[in-house]
């Protein structure tokens, strides 16, 4: 009999460990999305070319030594402002989603789903998709030079998209257990 009760306690401990690892994985995924969104919004590497780099906020030219020579504010095009706004909205939605997750973690009843958290994270992913899509289509109106390439911040925005959507779907599917 002791052996059976010991097995039950071991099984409970294993389930508890699995749930903690799942919770940790979800939080790490969400924080990774937030980091990618912050980097892609802030860093001046959406478009790079010989002697210049551009992002959502400014255009910079460089000397041959790599030092920044001049930085000018980005264009006031409406499409660029919409990209700026949707990237900021994606960060806001993702932060709200993380906050709601922690709130729901302690207030949600057993068996409840994290719908609100998932919806805000999916909205974050849709904002990133909108911003990156608009930038992809419209950047030629702003950068007329053909000797440019998309920078790493632009690529990070596209990487954040599937991660944010995946995280949102996980939240919607996830049920709270004790």
């Amino acid at each position: 009999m002791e052996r059976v009760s010991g097995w039950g306690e071991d099984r409970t401990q294993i389930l508890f460990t699995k749930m903690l690892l799942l919770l940790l994985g979800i939080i790490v995924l969400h924080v990774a999305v937030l980091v990618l969104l912050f980097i892609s919004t802030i860093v001046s590497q959406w478009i790079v070319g010989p002697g210049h780099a551009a992002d959502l906020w400014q255009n910079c030219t460089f000397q041959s030594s790599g030092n920044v020579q001049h930085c000018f504010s980005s264009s006031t095009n409406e499409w660029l402002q919409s990209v700026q706004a949707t990237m900021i909205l994606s960060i806001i939605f993702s932060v709200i989603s993380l906050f709601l997750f922690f709130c729901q973690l302690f207030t949600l009843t057993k068996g409840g789903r994290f719908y609100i958290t998932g919806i805000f994270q999916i909205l974050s992913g849709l904002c990133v998709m909108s911003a990156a899509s608009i930038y992809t289509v419209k950047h030629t109106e702003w950068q007329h030079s053909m000797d440019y390439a998309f920078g790493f911040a632009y690529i990070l925005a596209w990487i954040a998209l599937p991660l944010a959507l995946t995280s949102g779907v996980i939240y919607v599917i996830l049920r709270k257990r004790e």
Side-chain angles (χ1 to χ4, degrees):
M1 292 249 185
E2 290 179 31
R3 193 171 183 188
V4 172
S5 65
W7 181 77
E9 290 173 9
D10 289 342
R11 184 171 182 218
T12 304
Q13 184 67 27
I14 291 171
L15 288 174
F16 180 74
T17 304
K18 285 182 180 181
M19 290 305 293
L20 277 179
L21 288 175
L22 177 66
L23 182 63
L24 182 65
I26 290 169
I27 293 170
V28 167
L29 177 62
H30 198 123
V31 170
V33 168
L34 268 173
V35 168
L36 290 175
L37 290 175
F38 271 111
I39 290 172
S40 64
T41 303
I42 295 170
V43 174
S44 181
Q45 293 287 321
W46 276 60
I47 289 184
V48 293
H52 73 278
D55 68 349
L56 305 178
W57 312 104
Q58 61 187 359
N59 293 330
C60 296
T61 56
F62 299 98
Q63 298 173 349
S64 59
S65 64
N67 295 334
V68 176
Q69 188 173 5
H70 298 287
C71 283
F72 301 102
S73 293
S74 291
S75 170
T76 57
N77 290 334
E78 292 172 357
W79 68 266
L80 187 58
Q81 290 176 350
S82 68
V83 172
Q84 292 168 345
T86 52
M87 285 302 292
I88 290 171
L89 274 175
S90 72
I91 292 172
I92 291 170
F93 284 148
S94 191
V95 168
I96 290 172
S97 177
L98 187 61
F99 176 74
L100 287 173
F101 176 66
F102 284 120
C103 288
Q104 286 184 314
L105 195 59
F106 296 109
T107 60
L108 197 64
T109 60
K110 181 181 175 184
R113 293 188 185 261
F114 296 87
Y115 287 123
I116 297 172
T117 302
I119 288 170
F120 273 98
Q121 191 67 356
I122 289 170
L123 282 174
S124 173
L126 294 176
C127 284
V128 172
M129 181 182 68
S130 298
S133 298
I134 292 169
Y135 195 88
T136 302
V137 172
K138 294 288 193 172
H139 77 278
T140 54
E141 293 178 11
W142 183 36
Q143 295 287 330
H144 300 290
S145 171
M146 296 304 280
D147 58 344
Y148 66 86
F150 289 112
F152 77 90
Y154 170 82
I155 295 167
L156 289 179
W158 279 110
I159 292 172
L161 166 65
L163 293 178
L165 293 177
T166 302
S167 176
V169 169
I170 289 172
Y171 284 130
V172 170
I173 294 172
L174 187 66
R175 284 182 185 261
K176 183 178 180 184
R177 298 192 181 185
E178 284 191 34

